[in-house]
Every structure is written in C-alpha cells, then in structure tokens.
Amino acid sequence: MASPGTETGELIRVEGVSFSYGGIPVLSDVSLTISGGDFLAILGPNGSGKTTLLRIILGLTRPDRGRVTILGRPIEEFAERGMIGYVPQQATHFDPIFPASVREVVAMAVRSSRRRIARAEEEAAILHALEIVDMADFKDRRIGRLSGGQQQRVFIARAIVQKPRLLFLDEPTTGVDAETQDRFYDLLASLHTTEGITIVLVTHDIGIVNKHITKVACLNQRLIYHGTHDHFCSSGALKDMLAGGHHLVSHHH
Amino acid sequence: MHAFFQYAFLQRALGAGLCIALACAVLGVFLLLRKDAMIGHGLSHVAFAGIALGLLLGQWPTAVALVVSVAAALGIMKLKEAAGIYGDTAIAILSSLGLALGVILASVSGRFNAALLGYLFGDILAIEPAEVVLSVVLAAAVLAVTLIFYHRFMYMTFDRDAALAAGVPVRRLDALITVLTALTIVLGMKIVGILLVAALLVIPAAAGLQTASRFKAAVIGAGIVAALSVILGLGAAYVLDWPASGTIVLVAFLIFGILFIVRRK
C-alpha cells in the first residue's frame, strides 16, 4: 500500500494506551502501528478519543497507561521533531487577530527548529512549501484575512516546510466547503504520493474514506477496526460504521 | 525640550522611562496575545504582599517582593496548566490573595506607611542614578532574551500545540516569559510606579497589534508607541505641571485612540 519511493518499515507503535479525563475513560487499551507510506485515517464519532489519541502519539498528552514509540524510541525522548509535521484542529488553535503574515507563519517552524540553515536556504524552503500548497502568491497576506481553506493550506505548508516523514492532521477540513475539501484531499494525496510523506488524518467524517486512504483505524474509546482501506470497504466494516454498529474488532493489514 | 537638557531629574526620568517602556512594550505584545493583559495589575498586588513581608522581616523589601512575585507568576502558570483554570481567573485568585496577605502583614508589622507606599508607587521624577542603571539592565535583559527566543516565543504564542509537537520547550519558555514579566513589574513598579508599568505593559502593545499585519511590525510598533508616550508624556507633564505618570498614560491612550480611529477608516 506504500507509495513508490517511500519507506515501508514501522514508524510508530502504540501499545495498550489508556487515558481518562476527570475519571471518565476516553481511551481504553488502544494498540496500533503506523508504517512508512501509510495514509491512515483515524475515524470515529465526536468524543471518541481521536484527538486525544493523536495528542498521545505526538507526546503532547501523557497516557495513564501504555506507551508510544517512534522509530523504536519512546515519544517523550524523541528529539528529531523535524521529521514530524502537525496541523492541529483549526478551531481550537488559531487566533484570527494574530498579526502574522503567511510567510511568518511558515517561517515559525523553520526558525524554531534546532537545525540552523542559511537564510537563503530557509527562504527557498518556505517558498517551496507555499508553492506545494498553492499559496505562494499569498505570502505577504495576513493569515487572519484568508479563508478557512487557505489558512489550512498555510498550516500544511508550515507542517511540511522541514520535509517531515510523518504528517499528522486533526480534523483539517472543519468549516471548509465541500469543493475546497475535495481539493484539500487531492493535495494530501499528492503529498503522500509525490513527496512520499506518511500521513495520519483524524476525522469524524466517514466520507473521507476514499481512494487516497491506504489504512483505516476506527475508534470509539476502544479501537474497533484497524486495517487496510480495501478490507474496510469490502468486509462490510464501512457499512457497519455508517449504520453505527461498532462491534468490529481485530487488525487487518 | 530645553528642560530635558537642563534638568538631571528629567534626564533620569527620560532614560529610565524609555528603558522600562521598551521592556514593557515588547513583553506586552506576547502577554496580550497570550490573553494575560491583567498580569501587570495582578502581580503588583502580589508584590504588595512581598514588600509588606520584607518590611516585616526588615530585609530588602524589593528583593522579597521579587521572589514572591516570581513565585506567584509561576503559580499562575501552574494554575492555568494543571488546574485547567482560565488565565484571568488564576491572576484574579492570586492577586486577591496577595492583596489580602499584604494588608494583614502591613497591619501586623504596623508599617502601613509612607515607606510601603514608596515601594508601591515609585515616582518617575524622583529616580536615583542607580535606578537608571537598573532600568538599562532590565531593558537589555528583556530585549536580549526576546531576540534570542523571538521565533520560539512567536511560535508558541501563535500555536502552542504545534510548537510543542515541533519540539519547542514551551513550558520552560513559558516560565522564562513569566519570570521576565514579574521582574519587569516589580522593578518597574519601584522605579516608575505601578500605574505606569501596568499601563505600559498593555497600551503600547495594544496599539502595535491594532496596526500591524506582521508580528515584527507589531513588536516594533509597540516599542515606538511606548517611547513616544514617555517622551511626549514627560514633556507635556513638565509644561502643564501635571503628574508625570498619569500624563504618560494619557498620551499612550491618546496614541492608541488615534491609531484605532485611523485603522477603522
């Protein structure tokens, strides 16, 4: 299922992760792996623990039990953060009055990195990332003045400017119209196939399960499905999800 | 203008005022975007308790106030993070506690007097040469730290989660901004007075944020507004024979108001 030219080994391993908030279980004993070349969609209804799982994978939230390793190392000790790109949930992280140009937003990721590069190389990387997401013409525009879809493209440019091997996106199309969503998923597919980036996409929108996705993980506090896109569609798992029957289990790779 | 060359007290006021104003303006941009605009007022109440404690112990009140304010600022940070309390709520809780303790300590020590008020409401026109040096050191420290960590401060202020995921040591840098803020407030309070420090932390930064479409422009704009407020405010106070701190704040507000109206047009 990996794209041509991408690595295929295991990148991330989630083992027996559980998390509760204020005594209420959010995740129970979740285990899964993410391999190089995957385009994984983590699906589940609102409140199913998707964002929490993503935050635990990224090391932003500490699980009550279980552990996450990236390339065999515990996520808490993983220092090569440049290989990870992250686009958080837009509604919760973006202050529209923040006075930053598109260029400044993308530059934040490069200039906050421990890896120092020459100014000319940095400028080229910023421009290249903006060109990939088709936003180079907007580089001097204030980020708050862009549409939701354009802002998301800029945040993707920021996430990929350091050429990450892994890109995580949390509900990236919330508040974006249907046509823009289609173009957005085409962009992700292109990043997956052309740039060889492993993508993990968290969404409550089951309509995302399309030809671009290679693997699917369904979550509702527990992992109720983890397998390939083809198996998900052919085995009736998709129909079960749509009908709201969450009795599926097991992993199908 | 002639008076600035003639009177040493005005030169000291201008020098210290500009330094404190620049430190406040730069920190203020980050504080406002972090929705910590009230931290100036909050920590000044806490510093009151620290000064009262220092007077009670008979040991360097400003140093005790510094320690207490830094601890309180870190406490506000912890309350926000660990207890899930809003920033303004955390500030209100600790500032109320600070005020209450200050009143009790001052009353117990029987020194609720001019000495205590002198520490709280420093006078910009009565600045000592040593305080000018202290202001220069403070401003240099704030500007140097901001320059060194500028991009990381900006990233974590704009998008905390993405910065954390990118490996920015957000919690340590949070603590650094918090400690710098506490230092600026307590030292500024002693040198130029709490009214001026609290105002200079907020109004120039708000003016800079009003007008800029780039972050760097907002920081530079805030610095310019702060400097203009001190220069024009001191000049106006001298000419009109008005209180200097109040006049500087008034000028800062006028500049903010003009920028607000111009931007709306």
Side-chain angles (χ1 to χ4, degrees), chain B residues 105-186:
Chain B
L105 288 169
S107 170
V108 168
S109 69
R111 300 182 71 170
F112 203 141
N113 54 23
L116 178 58
L117 296 179
Y119 280 103
L120 286 175
F121 301 103
D123 183 355
I124 192 168
L125 295 179
I127 288 173
E128 301 291 330
E131 290 177 325
V132 179
V133 175
L134 191 60
S135 308
V136 173
V137 172
L138 177 69
V142 169
L143 295 179
V145 169
T146 307
L147 273 177
I148 292 167
F149 297 105
Y150 177 78
H151 294 288
R152 275 167 274 187
F153 281 165
M154 176 163 65
Y155 199 0
M156 63 190 246
T157 305
F158 180 72
D159 192 337
R160 190 180 172 83
D161 278 350
L164 267 170
V168 175
V170 169
R171 287 181 191 92
R172 265 183 280 160
L173 293 179
D174 259 348
L176 185 59
I177 290 185
T178 306
V179 168
L180 273 183
T181 305
L183 279 173
T184 305
I185 289 167
V186 176

Coordinates of all heavy atoms in Angstrom, one line a residue, chain B residues 105-186:
Chain B
L105 N -0.1 41.6 56.6 CA 1.3 41.8 57.0 C 1.6 43.2 57.4 O 2.3 43.5 58.4 CB 2.2 41.3 55.9 CG 2.2 39.8 55.7 CD1 3.0 39.4 54.4 CD2 2.9 39.1 56.8
A106 N 1.1 44.1 56.6 CA 1.4 45.6 56.9 C 0.8 46.0 58.2 O 1.3 46.7 59.0 CB 0.8 46.4 55.7
S107 N -0.4 45.4 58.5 CA -1.1 45.8 59.7 C -0.4 45.2 60.9 O -0.1 45.8 61.9 CB -2.6 45.2 59.6 OG -3.2 45.3 60.9
V108 N 0.0 43.9 60.8 CA 0.8 43.2 61.9 C 2.1 43.9 62.2 O 2.5 44.1 63.3 CB 1.0 41.7 61.5 CG1 2.0 41.1 62.4 CG2 -0.3 40.9 61.5
S109 N 2.8 44.3 61.1 CA 4.1 45.0 61.3 C 3.9 46.4 61.7 O 4.9 47.0 62.2 CB 4.9 44.9 60.0 OG 4.3 45.8 59.0
G110 N 2.7 46.9 61.6 CA 2.5 48.3 62.0 C 3.2 49.3 61.1 O 3.6 50.4 61.5
R111 N 3.5 48.9 59.8 CA 4.3 49.7 58.9 C 3.5 50.0 57.6 O 4.1 50.1 56.6 CB 5.6 49.1 58.7 CG 6.4 48.9 59.9 CD 7.7 48.3 59.7 NE 8.6 49.2 59.1 CZ 9.9 49.0 58.9 NH1 10.5 47.9 59.3 NH2 10.7 49.9 58.3
F112 N 2.2 50.2 57.8 CA 1.4 50.6 56.6 C 1.6 52.1 56.5 O 0.8 52.9 56.8 CB 0.0 50.3 56.9 CG -0.8 50.1 55.7 CD1 -1.8 49.1 55.6 CD2 -0.6 50.9 54.5 CE1 -2.5 48.9 54.4 CE2 -1.3 50.7 53.4 CZ -2.3 49.7 53.3
N113 N 2.8 52.5 55.9 CA 3.1 53.9 56.0 C 3.8 54.4 54.7 O 3.7 53.7 53.7 CB 4.0 54.2 57.2 CG 5.2 53.2 57.1 OD1 5.6 52.7 56.0 ND2 5.9 53.0 58.2
A114 N 4.4 55.5 54.7 CA 5.0 56.1 53.5 C 6.1 55.1 52.9 O 6.2 55.1 51.7 CB 5.6 57.4 53.9
A115 N 6.8 54.4 53.7 CA 7.8 53.5 53.2 C 7.2 52.5 52.3 O 7.7 52.2 51.2 CB 8.5 52.8 54.4
L116 N 6.1 51.9 52.7 CA 5.4 50.9 51.9 C 4.9 51.5 50.7 O 5.0 50.9 49.6 CB 4.2 50.3 52.8 CG 3.4 49.2 52.1 CD1 4.2 48.1 51.6 CD2 2.3 48.7 53.1
L117 N 4.2 52.6 50.8 CA 3.7 53.3 49.6 C 4.7 53.7 48.6 O 4.6 53.6 47.4 CB 2.8 54.5 50.0 CG 1.6 54.2 50.9 CD1 0.9 55.5 51.3 CD2 0.6 53.3 50.1
G118 N 5.9 54.1 49.2 CA 7.1 54.5 48.3 C 7.5 53.3 47.4 O 7.8 53.5 46.3
Y119 N 7.4 52.1 48.0 CA 7.8 50.9 47.2 C 6.8 50.6 46.1 O 7.1 50.1 45.0 CB 8.0 49.7 48.1 CG 9.3 49.7 48.8 CD1 9.4 50.0 50.1 CD2 10.5 49.3 48.1 CE1 10.6 50.0 50.8 CE2 11.7 49.3 48.7 CZ 11.8 49.7 50.1 OH 13.0 49.7 50.7
L120 N 5.5 50.9 46.4 CA 4.4 50.5 45.5 C 4.3 51.6 44.4 O 4.0 51.2 43.3 CB 3.1 50.4 46.3 CG 2.9 49.1 47.1 CD1 1.6 49.2 47.9 CD2 3.0 47.9 46.2
F121 N 4.4 52.8 44.8 CA 4.1 53.9 43.8 C 5.3 54.8 43.6 O 5.4 55.9 43.9 CB 2.9 54.8 44.4 CG 1.7 54.0 44.6 CD1 1.3 53.6 45.9 CD2 0.9 53.5 43.5 CE1 0.2 52.8 46.1 CE2 -0.2 52.7 43.7 CZ -0.6 52.4 45.0
G122 N 6.4 54.1 43.0 CA 7.6 54.8 42.7 C 7.3 56.1 41.9 O 6.3 56.1 41.1
D123 N 8.1 57.0 41.9 CA 7.9 58.3 41.2 C 8.9 58.5 40.1 O 10.1 58.5 40.4 CB 7.9 59.5 42.2 CG 7.6 60.8 41.6 OD1 7.4 60.8 40.3 OD2 7.5 61.8 42.3
I124 N 8.4 58.6 38.9 CA 9.4 58.7 37.8 C 10.2 60.0 37.8 O 11.3 60.0 37.3 CB 8.6 58.6 36.4 CG1 9.6 58.4 35.2 CG2 7.7 59.8 36.2 CD1 9.0 58.0 33.9
L125 N 9.8 61.0 38.5 CA 10.5 62.2 38.6 C 11.5 62.2 39.8 O 12.3 63.2 40.0 CB 9.6 63.4 38.7 CG 8.7 63.7 37.5 CD1 7.8 64.9 37.7 CD2 9.5 63.9 36.2
A126 N 11.5 61.1 40.6 CA 12.4 61.1 41.7 C 13.3 59.9 41.6 O 13.7 59.3 42.6 CB 11.5 61.0 43.0
I127 N 13.7 59.6 40.4 CA 14.6 58.4 40.1 C 16.0 58.7 40.5 O 16.6 59.8 40.1 CB 14.4 58.0 38.6 CG1 13.1 57.4 38.4 CG2 15.6 57.1 38.2 CD1 12.8 57.1 37.0
E128 N 16.7 57.8 41.2 CA 18.1 57.9 41.5 C 18.9 57.4 40.3 O 18.5 56.5 39.6 CB 18.4 57.0 42.7 CG 17.5 57.3 44.0 CD 18.0 58.6 44.6 OE1 19.1 59.0 44.4 OE2 17.1 59.3 45.1
P129 N 20.2 57.8 40.3 CA 21.1 57.3 39.2 C 21.2 55.8 39.1 O 21.2 55.2 38.1 CB 22.4 58.0 39.5 CG 22.1 59.2 40.2 CD 20.8 58.9 41.0
A130 N 21.2 55.2 40.3 CA 21.3 53.7 40.4 C 20.1 53.0 39.7 O 20.2 52.0 39.1 CB 21.5 53.2 41.8
E131 N 19.0 53.7 39.9 CA 17.7 53.1 39.3 C 17.7 53.2 37.8 O 17.1 52.4 37.1 CB 16.5 53.8 39.9 CG 16.3 53.5 41.3 CD 15.1 54.2 42.0 OE1 14.9 55.4 41.6 OE2 14.5 53.6 42.8
V132 N 18.4 54.3 37.2 CA 18.6 54.4 35.8 C 19.4 53.2 35.3 O 19.0 52.5 34.3 CB 19.2 55.7 35.4 CG1 19.4 55.8 33.9 CG2 18.5 56.9 35.9
V133 N 20.5 52.9 36.0 CA 21.3 51.7 35.6 C 20.5 50.4 35.7 O 20.5 49.6 34.7 CB 22.5 51.6 36.6 CG1 23.4 50.4 36.2 CG2 23.4 52.9 36.4
L134 N 19.7 50.3 36.7 CA 18.9 49.1 36.9 C 17.9 49.0 35.7 O 17.6 47.9 35.2 CB 18.1 49.2 38.2 CG 17.4 47.9 38.7 CD1 18.3 46.8 38.9 CD2 16.6 48.2 40.0
S135 N 17.3 50.1 35.3 CA 16.4 50.1 34.2 C 17.1 49.7 32.9 O 16.5 48.9 32.1 CB 15.8 51.5 34.0 OG 15.3 52.0 35.2
V136 N 18.3 50.2 32.7 CA 19.0 49.8 31.5 C 19.3 48.3 31.5 O 19.1 47.6 30.5 CB 20.4 50.6 31.4 CG1 21.2 50.1 30.2 CG2 20.1 52.1 31.2
V137 N 19.7 47.8 32.6 CA 20.0 46.4 32.7 C 18.7 45.6 32.5 O 18.7 44.6 31.7 CB 20.6 46.0 34.1 CG1 20.7 44.5 34.3 CG2 21.9 46.7 34.3
L138 N 17.6 46.0 33.0 CA 16.3 45.3 32.9 C 15.9 45.3 31.4 O 15.6 44.2 30.8 CB 15.2 46.0 33.7 CG 13.8 45.4 33.6 CD1 13.8 44.0 34.2 CD2 12.8 46.3 34.2
A139 N 16.0 46.4 30.8 CA 15.6 46.5 29.4 C 16.5 45.7 28.5 O 16.0 45.0 27.6 CB 15.6 48.0 28.9
A140 N 17.8 45.7 28.8 CA 18.8 44.9 28.0 C 18.5 43.5 28.1 O 18.5 42.7 27.2 CB 20.2 45.3 28.4
A141 N 18.1 43.0 29.4 CA 17.9 41.6 29.6 C 16.6 41.2 28.9 O 16.6 40.2 28.2 CB 17.7 41.4 31.1
V142 N 15.5 42.0 28.9 CA 14.3 41.7 28.3 C 14.5 41.6 26.8 O 14.1 40.7 26.1 CB 13.2 42.7 28.6 CG1 11.9 42.5 27.7 CG2 12.8 42.5 30.1
L143 N 15.2 42.6 26.2 CA 15.4 42.7 24.8 C 16.3 41.5 24.3 O 16.0 40.9 23.3 CB 15.9 44.0 24.3 CG 15.0 45.2 24.6 CD1 15.7 46.5 24.2 CD2 13.7 45.1 23.9
A144 N 17.3 41.2 25.1 CA 18.2 40.1 24.7 C 17.5 38.8 24.7 O 17.6 38.0 23.7 CB 19.4 40.1 25.6
V145 N 16.8 38.5 25.7 CA 16.0 37.2 25.8 C 15.0 37.2 24.7 O 14.8 36.1 24.0 CB 15.3 37.1 27.2 CG1 14.4 35.9 27.2 CG2 16.4 36.9 28.3
T146 N 14.3 38.3 24.4 CA 13.3 38.3 23.3 C 14.0 38.0 22.0 O 13.4 37.3 21.2 CB 12.5 39.6 23.3 OG1 12.1 39.9 24.6 CG2 11.4 39.6 22.3
L147 N 15.1 38.7 21.8 CA 15.8 38.5 20.5 C 16.3 37.0 20.3 O 16.1 36.4 19.3 CB 17.0 39.4 20.4 CG 16.8 40.8 19.8 CD1 18.1 41.6 19.9 CD2 16.3 40.7 18.4
I148 N 16.8 36.4 21.4 CA 17.3 35.1 21.3 C 16.2 34.1 21.1 O 16.3 33.2 20.2 CB 18.1 34.7 22.6 CG1 19.3 35.5 22.7 CG2 18.4 33.2 22.7 CD1 20.0 35.5 24.1
F149 N 15.1 34.3 21.8 CA 14.0 33.3 21.7 C 12.8 33.8 20.8 O 11.7 33.2 20.9 CB 13.5 32.9 23.1 CG 14.5 32.3 23.9 CD1 15.2 32.9 24.9 CD2 14.9 30.9 23.7 CE1 16.1 32.3 25.7 CE2 15.9 30.3 24.4 CZ 16.5 31.0 25.4
Y150 N 13.0 34.8 20.0 CA 11.9 35.5 19.3 C 11.0 34.6 18.5 O 9.8 34.5 18.7 CB 12.6 36.6 18.4 CG 11.6 37.3 17.5 CD1 10.8 38.3 18.0 CD2 11.4 36.9 16.2 CE1 9.9 39.0 17.2 CE2 10.5 37.6 15.4 CZ 9.7 38.6 15.9 OH 8.8 39.3 15.1
H151 N 11.6 33.7 17.7 CA 10.8 32.8 16.8 C 10.1 31.8 17.7 O 9.0 31.4 17.3 CB 11.7 32.2 15.8 CG 12.2 33.3 14.8 ND1 11.4 33.9 13.9 CD2 13.5 33.8 14.7 CE1 12.2 34.8 13.2 NE2 13.4 34.7 13.7
R152 N 10.8 31.3 18.7 CA 10.1 30.3 19.5 C 9.0 30.9 20.4 O 7.9 30.3 20.5 CB 11.1 29.5 20.4 CG 11.8 28.4 19.7 CD 13.0 27.9 20.3 NE 14.2 28.7 20.0 CZ 15.4 28.3 20.3 NH1 15.7 27.3 21.1 NH2 16.4 29.1 19.9
F153 N 9.2 32.1 20.9 CA 8.1 32.8 21.6 C 6.9 33.0 20.7 O 5.8 32.8 21.0 CB 8.6 34.2 22.1 CG 9.5 34.1 23.4 CD1 10.2 35.2 23.7 CD2 9.5 33.0 24.2 CE1 11.0 35.2 24.9 CE2 10.2 33.0 25.3 CZ 11.0 34.1 25.7
M154 N 7.3 33.4 19.4 CA 6.2 33.7 18.5 C 5.4 32.4 18.1 O 4.2 32.4 18.1 CB 6.8 34.4 17.2 CG 5.7 34.6 16.1 SD 6.2 35.7 14.8 CE 7.5 34.9 14.0
Y155 N 6.2 31.4 17.9 CA 5.5 30.1 17.5 C 4.6 29.6 18.6 O 3.4 29.3 18.4 CB 6.6 29.1 17.2 CG 6.1 27.9 16.4 CD1 4.8 27.7 16.0 CD2 7.1 26.9 16.1 CE1 4.5 26.6 15.2 CE2 6.7 25.8 15.3 CZ 5.4 25.7 14.9 OH 5.0 24.6 14.1
M156 N 5.1 29.6 19.9 CA 4.3 29.1 21.0 C 3.1 30.0 21.3 O 2.1 29.5 21.8 CB 5.1 28.8 22.2 CG 5.8 30.0 22.8 SD 7.0 29.5 24.1 CE 6.2 30.1 25.5
T157 N 3.3 31.3 21.0 CA 2.2 32.2 21.3 C 1.1 32.0 20.2 O -0.1 32.1 20.5 CB 2.7 33.7 21.3 OG1 3.7 33.8 22.2 CG2 1.6 34.7 21.6
F158 N 1.5 31.8 19.0 CA 0.6 31.6 17.9 C -0.1 30.3 17.9 O -1.3 30.2 17.7 CB 1.3 31.8 16.6 CG 0.5 31.6 15.3 CD1 -0.4 32.6 15.0 CD2 0.5 30.5 14.6 CE1 -1.2 32.5 13.9 CE2 -0.2 30.4 13.4 CZ -1.1 31.4 13.1
D159 N 0.6 29.2 18.2 CA 0.1 27.9 18.1 C 0.9 27.0 19.1 O 1.8 26.3 18.7 CB 0.2 27.4 16.7 CG -0.6 26.1 16.4 OD1 -0.9 25.4 17.4 OD2 -0.9 25.9 15.3
R160 N 0.4 26.9 20.3 CA 1.1 26.2 21.4 C 1.3 24.7 21.1 O 2.4 24.2 21.3 CB 0.3 26.4 22.7 CG 0.9 26.0 23.9 CD 0.0 26.2 25.1 NE 0.6 25.6 26.3 CZ 1.5 26.2 27.0 NH1 1.9 27.4 26.7 NH2 2.0 25.6 28.1
D161 N 0.2 24.1 20.6 CA 0.3 22.7 20.3 C 1.3 22.3 19.2 O 2.1 21.4 19.3 CB -1.1 22.1 20.0 CG -1.9 21.8 21.2 OD1 -1.3 21.9 22.3 OD2 -3.1 21.6 21.1
A162 N 1.2 23.1 18.1 CA 2.1 22.9 17.0 C 3.6 23.1 17.5 O 4.5 22.4 17.1 CB 1.8 23.7 15.8
A163 N 3.8 24.1 18.3 CA 5.1 24.4 18.8 C 5.6 23.3 19.7 O 6.8 22.8 19.5 CB 5.1 25.7 19.6
L164 N 4.8 22.8 20.5 CA 5.1 21.6 21.4 C 5.5 20.4 20.5 O 6.5 19.8 20.8 CB 3.9 21.2 22.3 CG 3.9 21.8 23.7 CD1 2.5 21.5 24.3 CD2 5.0 21.3 24.6
A165 N 4.7 20.1 19.5 CA 4.9 19.0 18.6 C 6.2 19.2 17.9 O 6.9 18.2 17.5 CB 3.7 18.8 17.7
A166 N 6.6 20.4 17.6 CA 7.8 20.7 16.9 C 9.0 20.6 17.8 O 10.2 20.9 17.3 CB 7.7 22.0 16.2
G167 N 8.8 20.4 19.0 CA 10.0 20.3 20.0 C 10.4 21.5 20.6 O 11.4 21.6 21.3
V168 N 9.6 22.6 20.5 CA 9.9 23.9 21.2 C 9.6 23.6 22.7 O 8.6 23.1 23.1 CB 9.0 25.0 20.7 CG1 9.2 26.3 21.5 CG2 9.2 25.3 19.2
P169 N 10.6 23.9 23.6 CA 10.4 23.7 25.0 C 9.5 24.7 25.6 O 9.8 25.6 26.4 CB 11.8 23.9 25.6 CG 12.5 24.8 24.6 CD 11.9 24.6 23.3
V170 N 8.2 24.5 25.3 CA 7.2 25.5 25.6 C 7.1 25.8 27.1 O 7.0 27.0 27.5 CB 5.8 25.1 25.0 CG1 4.7 25.9 25.5 CG2 5.8 25.1 23.5
R171 N 7.1 24.8 27.9 CA 6.9 25.1 29.4 C 8.0 25.9 29.9 O 7.8 26.8 30.8 CB 6.7 23.7 30.1 CG 5.3 23.2 29.8 CD 5.0 21.9 30.5 NE 3.8 21.3 29.9 CZ 3.8 20.4 28.9 NH1 4.9 20.0 28.4 NH2 2.7 19.9 28.4
R172 N 9.3 25.5 29.5 CA 10.4 26.3 30.0 C 10.4 27.7 29.5 O 10.7 28.7 30.3 CB 11.7 25.6 29.6 CG 12.2 24.7 30.7 CD 13.5 24.1 30.2 NE 13.3 23.0 29.3 CZ 14.2 22.5 28.5 NH1 15.4 23.0 28.4 NH2 13.9 21.5 27.7
L173 N 10.0 27.9 28.3 CA 9.9 29.3 27.7 C 8.8 30.1 28.4 O 8.8 31.3 28.5 CB 9.8 29.3 26.2 CG 11.1 28.7 25.5 CD1 10.9 28.7 24.0 CD2 12.3 29.5 25.8
D174 N 7.7 29.4 28.7 CA 6.5 30.0 29.4 C 7.1 30.6 30.7 O 6.8 31.7 31.1 CB 5.5 28.9 29.8 CG 4.3 28.9 28.8 OD1 4.2 29.8 28.1 OD2 3.5 27.9 28.9
A175 N 7.8 29.7 31.4 CA 8.4 30.1 32.7 C 9.3 31.3 32.5 O 9.3 32.3 33.3 CB 9.1 29.0 33.4
L176 N 10.1 31.3 31.4 CA 11.0 32.5 31.2 C 10.2 33.8 31.0 O 10.6 34.8 31.6 CB 11.9 32.1 29.9 CG 13.0 33.1 29.6 CD1 14.0 33.3 30.7 CD2 13.7 32.6 28.3
I177 N 9.2 33.7 30.1 CA 8.4 34.9 29.9 C 7.8 35.4 31.2 O 7.7 36.6 31.6 CB 7.3 34.7 28.9 CG1 7.9 34.5 27.5 CG2 6.2 35.8 28.9 CD1 6.8 34.3 26.4
T178 N 7.3 34.4 32.0 CA 6.6 34.7 33.3 C 7.6 35.4 34.3 O 7.2 36.4 34.9 CB 6.0 33.4 33.9 OG1 5.2 32.8 32.9 CG2 5.2 33.7 35.1
V179 N 8.8 34.8 34.3 CA 9.8 35.4 35.3 C 10.2 36.8 34.8 O 10.3 37.8 35.6 CB 11.0 34.5 35.4 CG1 12.2 35.2 36.1 CG2 10.6 33.2 36.1
L180 N 10.4 37.0 33.5 CA 10.8 38.3 33.0 C 9.7 39.3 33.3 O 9.9 40.5 33.6 CB 10.9 38.2 31.5 CG 12.3 37.8 30.9 CD1 12.3 37.9 29.4 CD2 13.4 38.8 31.5
T181 N 8.4 38.9 33.1 CA 7.3 39.8 33.4 C 7.3 40.2 34.9 O 7.1 41.4 35.2 CB 6.0 39.1 33.0 OG1 6.0 38.6 31.7 CG2 4.8 40.0 33.2
A182 N 7.5 39.2 35.7 CA 7.5 39.5 37.2 C 8.6 40.5 37.5 O 8.4 41.5 38.3 CB 7.6 38.2 38.0
L183 N 9.8 40.2 36.9 CA 11.0 41.1 37.2 C 10.6 42.6 36.7 O 10.9 43.5 37.4 CB 12.2 40.6 36.4 CG 13.0 39.5 37.0 CD1 14.0 39.0 36.0 CD2 13.7 40.0 38.2
T184 N 10.1 42.7 35.5 CA 9.8 44.0 34.9 C 8.7 44.7 35.8 O 8.9 45.9 36.0 CB 9.2 43.8 33.5 OG1 10.2 43.1 32.7 CG2 9.0 45.1 32.8
I185 N 7.7 44.0 36.2 CA 6.7 44.6 37.0 C 7.2 45.1 38.4 O 7.0 46.3 38.7 CB 5.5 43.6 37.2 CG1 4.8 43.5 35.9 CG2 4.5 44.2 38.3 CD1 3.8 42.3 35.9
V186 N 8.0 44.3 39.1 CA 8.4 44.6 40.4 C 9.5 45.8 40.3 O 9.4 46.8 41.1 CB 9.0 43.4 41.2 CG1 9.5 43.8 42.5 CG2 7.9 42.4 41.4

